[in-house]
Amino acid sequence: METGTVNSRVKMKTVDLVYCGIFATLMMIGANITSFAPFMVVGGVPITLQVFFAILAGLILGSKLGSISITVYMLIGLAGAPVFARFSGGFSQILSPTFGFIVTFIFVAYVVGKMVEKNPSKKMYIVSALTGTVISYLIGTNWMYIAYMFWFGAPDGFSYSMAWLWMMPPLPKDIILAVFAGVFGYRVQKILKAGNLR
């Protein structure tokens, strides 16, 4: 009996590692989706799918594993692998004005996961996904503004309102994808629970 319990725990840990690896990989793909779809570059700004996958990580893996998977993605990039947007990587990316979004994705996955853990209804899946999008924009955009103002070198005429204007092109896409993530995440969780995989 004890052996079976130990094997079960090891199996679950292995499954969890696989799930984390999958979502870390999805974040890498989502960061560079414009390499496969160049039309997703608007005004020179790459429109990524990172918010979408960060939300899905929280919805499907839960607060703990979801945030761990995004943390793994971030650490891989900081270690030098070209997994951030435009195939960038390395510790110097910490100084990038958009690095705040990467940090925010960890928080997004955690908060979204916590919300559905407390109330696993379909409505809450959608609400939590939209909440995650709001968190990403609020923290990420403010971080970007501060970075430009204090250490990155802001372009001429840069202002707080301009920082938010830059975020308008991807906003409709992220809202639509948040709703889709909520519905999709809810269905995937039901399938995983039915198969006793989560």
Side-chain angles (χ1 to χ4, degrees):
M1 192 66 160
E2 289 184 5
T3 303
T5 303
V6 171
N7 288 338
S8 177
R9 289 175 181 171
V10 172
K11 182 181 178 182
M12 284 305 297
K13 286 183 179 179
T14 302
V15 169
D16 291 344
L17 286 173
V18 171
Y19 283 142
C20 287
I22 288 173
F23 273 92
T25 302
L26 288 174
M27 287 294 290
M28 298 174 199
I29 295 172
N32 294 288
I33 193 68
T34 52
S35 298
F36 313 101
F39 60 86
M40 291 183 71
V41 177
V42 180
V45 179
I47 307 301
T48 74
L49 296 178
Q50 290 172 295
V51 180
F52 173 68
F53 287 128
I55 289 171
L56 269 186
L59 293 177
I60 296 174
L61 302 185
S63 58
K64 183 179 178 181
L65 287 178
S67 57
I68 288 174
S69 66
I70 308 304
T71 301
V72 168
Y73 162 72
M74 181 184 73
L75 293 177
I76 290 172
L78 291 178
V83 298
F84 296 150
R86 294 179 175 175
F87 294 106
S88 59
F91 196 74
S92 62
Q93 290 299 310
I94 286 181
L95 298 177
S96 168
T98 57
F99 186 73
F101 287 100
I102 296 173
V103 175
T104 303
F105 295 148
I106 299 171
F107 186 57
V108 166
Y110 183 82
V111 171
V112 167
K114 275 294 181 187
M115 289 178 71
V116 296
E117 284 166 3
K118 292 182 178 179
N119 181 5
S121 66
K122 185 176 182 179
K123 179 180 178 181
M124 182 54 69
Y125 267 76
I126 296 173
V127 170
S128 64
L130 290 169
T131 300
T133 302
V134 171
I135 292 172
S136 176
Y137 272 69
L138 281 176
I139 300 178
T141 305
N142 280 286
W143 183 308
M144 180 176 67
Y145 172 74
I146 293 170
Y148 271 120
M149 294 304 294
F150 290 97
W151 68 77
F152 197 76
D156 293 336
F158 182 75
S159 64
Y160 187 66
S161 59
M162 183 181 289
W164 278 101
L165 282 174
W166 286 355
M167 298 306 300
M168 290 303 101
L171 181 58
K173 175 265 298 180
D174 284 331
I175 292 175
I176 293 171
L177 285 179
V179 175
F180 176 74
V183 175
F184 181 71
Y186 177 74
R187 291 181 178 177
V188 170
Q189 266 294 9
K190 289 187 70 174
I191 293 171
L192 292 176
K193 287 178 179 177
N196 199 27
L197 296 174
R198 289 293 300 144

